[in-house]
Amino acid sequence: MSFPWPRTDLTELIGIEHPIIQAPMAGVASPALAAAVSNAGGLGSLGCGEMTVEQLRESFGETRAWTARPFNINFFAHEAPEHPSDDAAAMRGWLAGYYQELDVRESPSLSETPMRSFDAATLRAVLELEPQIVSFHFGLPAHDMLDALKSTGTVILSSATTVSEARRLEAAGVHAIIAQGYDAGGHRGTFSEPIAAGSIGTFALVPQIVDAVSVPVIAAGGIADGRGIAAAFALGASGVQMGTAFILCPESAASPVYREVLRQTRDDETVVTRAFTGRPARAIVNRFVEEMAPREDDVAPFPLQDSLTLALHVASVARGSKDLAAMLAGQASPLARALPAAALVETLVCEAQEALAREK
Ligand SMILES: Cc1cc2nc3c(=O)[nH]c(=O)nc-3n(C[C@H](O)[C@H](O)[C@H](O)COP(=O)(O)O)c2cc1C
């Protein structure tokens, strides 16, 4: 049954039935998850910001094999930082204790992060793969790269965390803007300074971005059920992007310990922290987040901090311990449900339909 959504500019733009985008979550959004969401009429997404070109090709191929419908591939577009001259010595010194505790190799090189900014090699691969939709986080790649993607008819999305960022994205030619509120799980997509300015809640941000731009706006952050989807439409959005709500789906790549912790996380148990990667990201509070809070000044710039902490995360998860694991999630964590992705999309559509009908 096709449902008359209040606005259809987004669904028409990307060729989907329901205006529900499963957020691209690097390390969590698997091909199985993305394909299941797309097959259910939403838009599945792959988070490719931590993939090599080989891994990108493989994940894209798997997803394409499981769905003939559109899906989104997502990349980071940060400016690569200068190598810090002090080699993050203070941070290394502090982290050494954790390395010892978990018996993992100490002081890895500062370039060991898998997090990559969209580059020429990635562009070449993407042009060959011919995705229908590409989204970016932390801004946009260079103009000529964007033009190359757009010239093949690819729809481009990117996240804004302030009105001025939304205006910049529209001026650069994106087709739709993801308004990412502070409630959101994962990294803040903020790409302009000062970074703290991009800390606006979803309810305040979405209508202001809707008023400021003429392209469709996708609300993201703290939306985890049909009431949230209906609210996003009431605020003027044309669709939603939901991350945390999909983490507990059996198709996601979330680890058992992450799932167990998320199932028990309360509304007041997530914070925005730079501890894991050097960029602000909303994560579930654990021992690492708490112990790093007083050491924010020593955190290495993104993504170099990730080089230093990734092995701790991996070792912690391998031991089934939440203590040093990076468990990104948003303020609506308690609303996440452990449903298969297709059932979750169907439930969200029904709930939104009921909530929108009540408002009439
Ligand atoms: C575990 C996790 C990983 C994420 N990774 C990415 C990513 O790789 N790229 C991206 O654009 N956004 C990423 N995000 C942010 C989402 O795109 C989106 O803004 C957010 O999930 C919306 O808030 P919600 O989690 O409350 O639904 C991630 C979010 C989570 C929860």
Side-chain angles (χ1 to χ4, degrees):
M1 188 194 80
S2 90
F3 173 61
W5 294 96
R7 263 177 296 282
T8 55
D9 48 356
L10 180 74
T11 47
E12 283 162 18
L13 174 71
I14 53 185
I16 55 173
E17 195 181 347
H18 305 306
I20 298 173
I21 302 178
Q22 163 255 310
M25 297 179 280
V28 173
S30 63
L33 179 64
V37 171
S38 288
N39 284 335
L43 183 73
S45 306
L46 295 176
C48 310
E50 299 178 7
M51 291 182 191
T52 61
V53 167
E54 278 305 290
Q55 290 166 331
L56 163 65
R57 286 184 199 281
E58 203 178 309
S59 297
F60 188 96
E62 263 182 68
T63 314
R64 187 41 87 224
W66 289 332
T67 184
R69 300 201 180 179
F71 62 92
N72 166 38
I73 55 175
N74 168 267
F75 299 95
F76 299 148
H78 57 281
E79 282 173 27
E82 296 290 312
H83 217 68
S85 52
D86 70 354
D87 206 20
M91 182 51 42
R92 284 169 181 278
W94 168 251
L95 295 176
Y98 296 122
Y99 279 96
Q100 221 166 13
E101 181 185 326
L102 293 189
D103 198 21
V104 295
R105 187 166 61 87
E106 239 179 85
S107 303
S109 133
L110 271 178
S111 57
E112 278 187 21
T113 172
M115 292 187 165
R116 317 175 48 208
S117 194
F118 194 78
D119 59 11
T122 315
L123 174 66
R124 276 195 299 279
V126 171
L127 290 173
E128 280 169 32
L129 294 170
E130 298 183 0
Q132 284 113 320
I133 298 118
V134 170
S135 72
F136 292 101
H137 213 46
F138 313 132
L140 287 171
H143 286 303
D144 53 336
M145 291 191 177
L146 204 60
D147 288 346
L149 285 175
K150 287 174 67 179
S151 69
T152 62
T154 302
V155 172
I156 309 290
L157 317 176
S158 185
S159 298
T161 61
T162 61
V163 168
S164 70
E165 286 181 349
R167 288 205 174 103
R168 280 173 63 184
L169 293 177
E170 182 179 42
V174 306
H175 297 101
I177 290 168
I178 302 151
Q180 190 201 32
Y182 199 55
D183 329 28
H187 282 98
R188 309 291 313 131
T190 308
F191 58 94
S192 50
E193 295 289 338
I195 214 154
S199 308
I200 304 159
T202 305
F203 251 73
L205 183 67
V206 170
Q208 294 185 69
I209 290 187
V210 167
D211 287 348
V213 301
S214 54
V215 294
V217 174
I218 300 154
I223 301 167
D225 63 18
R227 293 169 298 183
I229 297 171
F233 273 98
L235 296 173
S238 299
V240 295
Q241 176 160 294
M242 301 164 62
T244 303
F246 284 94
I247 297 175
L248 295 179
C249 293
E251 297 92 340
S252 96
S255 66
V257 65
Y258 188 5
R259 290 173 192 272
E260 193 186 312
V261 171
L262 178 56
R263 268 196 289 266
Q264 295 161 23
T265 298
R266 294 192 319 248
D267 57 340
D268 60 353
E269 289 180 317
T270 69
V271 290
V272 172
T273 175
R274 293 172 56 238
F276 293 108
T277 67
R279 259 187 193 262
R282 187 173 290 282
I284 300 170
V285 176
N286 61 358
R287 186 184 138 210
F288 188 70
V289 170
E290 280 175 344
E291 291 178 357
M292 286 290 289
R295 294 176 176 80
E296 278 272 310
D297 289 349
D298 294 334
V299 167
F302 177 89
L304 303 178
Q305 177 75 7
D306 187 61
S307 311
L308 299 175
T309 64
L310 183 61
L312 298 173
H313 161 79
V314 171
S316 191
V317 168
R319 290 171 180 219
S321 165
K322 64 178 184 180
D323 281 4
L324 306 183
M327 298 174 290
L328 304 184
Q331 290 182 325
S333 288
L335 299 176
R337 289 166 280 195
L339 287 174
L344 179 57
V345 172
E346 194 184 326
T347 304
L348 292 169
V349 170
C350 289
E351 290 173 349
Q353 186 170 13
E354 278 169 23
L356 287 163
R358 274 200 301 274
E359 301 307 315
K360 277 191 181 156

